[in-house]
Amino acid sequence: MKKKINLWTLLFIGPYFILFIIFFLIPAVFGIAVSFTEWDMYNTPEFIGLSNYNKILFDSSSIYYDQFRIGMGNTILFVLIAVPLCVFVPLLIAVLLNMKPRGHRVFQSVLYMPTLFSISAVMIIWSFLLSLSYGPFKTWFDMSTDLKSTQPWAWICIIGVTIWWCMGANMVIYVAALSGVPQEQLEAATIDGAGAVIRLFKIVIPNIRFQLLFTAITTTVAQFNIYGQPLMLTSGGPNNSTKVLMMYIQENAFGTGISNAGMSSAMAILMGLIIMLVSTVQFAMNRRSER
């Protein structure tokens, strides 16, 4: 019986592990190895040790030092603004939907729909809407300034589009979590005179803290990998103020100039370590709050 269970277990999880090894583990190990080399993706990689990391982190005369500093700074700025909004805006919408107003299921479906679109489709839609030449926003609001080419409007556009695109997934998680909040606690708080805000922070949020932690970590990881929004909406402008690290990584590896895949891999590894550090801090803070 035990052998049969083990066989069925392997049959179910085997395909996943095969795909995991092929599409994640092998590329990850290969990327780490490449980060210690100088490689133009055509000739044989040349091992140079920690030279790529030294140029990125310590050599202020290197162009890669400036690229990493600017790209990582823009990425962190986006994450600091977008992640809280992508977590709490869907939460507020879920709370409103949980009150079950008329047509709440229709609103939930409509708000979730953008999540089904690809990033390229989303950016094409919003590039058209925000176009100063033929976009409907120009007609509706009599715009005379190209929002995508001026700050802080360029960041506002990117963050706004990101929230519109991503909030559906978190909203669905919160709607499901809110259905499990004990109604007797809410009723008791209401009888004691607690307002909606107090009930939200004292009863609702503590009861769904695990879902909040999950969405906070997954949203943080996703937003650190921002690429399509600034690429297709602002092209990194104005003056590279929205050019994020993923754009520099792509340009160094696959740009029109000489490829430097080793440097791109080193930048990607450093960003991965930063994401792991931030996620660990988030998890540790949640564990401390639980205690």
Side-chain angles (χ1 to χ4, degrees):
M1 183 66 179
K2 187 175 181 181
K3 290 184 178 180
K4 289 184 178 180
I5 294 175
N6 290 338
L7 178 60
W8 279 109
T9 303
L10 290 175
L11 288 174
F12 277 110
I13 69 175
Y16 168 79
F17 273 107
I18 292 173
L19 293 175
F20 175 81
I21 292 171
I22 294 175
F23 293 104
F24 179 80
L25 188 59
I26 292 176
V29 173
F30 181 74
I32 294 173
V34 169
S35 70
F36 298 106
T37 68
E38 184 175 348
W39 185 37
D40 60 3
M41 301 184 72
Y42 295 100
N43 299 308
T44 303
E46 179 184 351
F47 180 77
I48 56 174
L50 296 174
S51 178
N52 288 332
Y53 293 97
N54 180 65
K55 289 180 181 179
I56 293 171
L57 296 175
F58 306 112
D59 187 359
S60 58
S61 64
S62 171
I63 187 175
Y64 302 111
Y65 175 89
D66 293 329
Q67 288 181 354
F68 187 80
R69 180 178 57 84
I70 295 171
M72 199 69 237
N74 290 336
T75 301
I76 292 175
L77 174 63
F78 172 79
V79 169
L80 289 175
I81 299 174
V83 169
L85 292 174
C86 287
V87 170
F88 289 106
V89 169
L91 176 60
L92 294 177
I93 294 174
V95 170
L96 295 175
L97 291 173
N98 193 53
M99 297 177 182
K100 294 181 173 53
R102 181 176 297 180
H104 68 280
R105 294 190 184 279
V106 175
F107 284 116
Q108 181 175 326
S109 300
V110 171
L111 292 171
Y112 180 76
M113 192 175 297
T115 308
L116 304 176
F117 300 158
S118 66
I119 183 63
S120 56
V122 171
M123 291 304 108
I124 290 173
I125 292 171
W126 281 96
S127 294
F128 167 73
L129 292 175
L130 295 171
S131 173
L132 199 60
S133 301
Y134 47 78
F137 280 15
K138 179 184 184 300
T139 303
W140 297 343
F141 304 108
D142 194 26
M143 290 193 313
S144 58
T145 302
D146 187 0
L147 301 182
K148 299 178 293 182
S149 301
T150 57
Q151 288 291 16
W153 291 109
W155 271 125
I156 292 174
C157 290
I158 291 173
I159 293 170
V161 171
T162 301
I163 296 171
W164 178 83
W165 178 45
C166 298
M167 69 177 180
N170 288 349
M171 178 193 68
V172 170
I173 293 173
Y174 297 145
V175 168
L178 289 172
S179 64
V181 176
Q183 292 301 310
E184 57 272 16
Q185 293 183 13
L186 295 172
E187 292 172 0
T190 303
I191 294 173
D192 290 339
V197 175
I198 294 177
R199 293 198 302 270
L200 175 64
F201 284 96
K202 295 295 185 180
I203 297 177
V204 174
I205 290 181
N207 274 285
I208 64 170
R209 62 184 182 276
F210 296 112
Q211 290 85 352
L212 284 171
L213 173 63
F214 172 78
T215 55
I217 292 176
T218 55
T219 302
T220 299
V221 173
Q223 303 309 344
F224 258 108
N225 288 282
I226 177 178
Y227 175 70
Q229 298 96 305
L231 177 70
M232 300 185 67
L233 202 62
T234 65
S235 299
N239 300 320
N240 292 335
S241 60
T242 60
K243 195 167 186 178
V244 293
L245 187 59
M246 285 296 296
M247 296 175 69
Y248 285 111
I249 292 173
Q250 188 275 337
E251 286 183 1
N252 285 324
F254 307 105
T256 56
I258 299 175
S259 173
N260 194 338
M263 190 64 69
S264 291
S265 296
M267 288 184 179
I269 296 300
L270 289 172
M271 186 172 74
L273 293 174
I274 292 173
I275 294 173
M276 291 174 60
L277 176 62
V278 171
S279 299
T280 302
V281 170
Q282 286 179 318
F283 186 78
M285 290 174 62
N286 184 76
R287 291 293 297 273
R288 177 175 294 182
S289 66
E290 288 180 14
R291 296 195 186 101

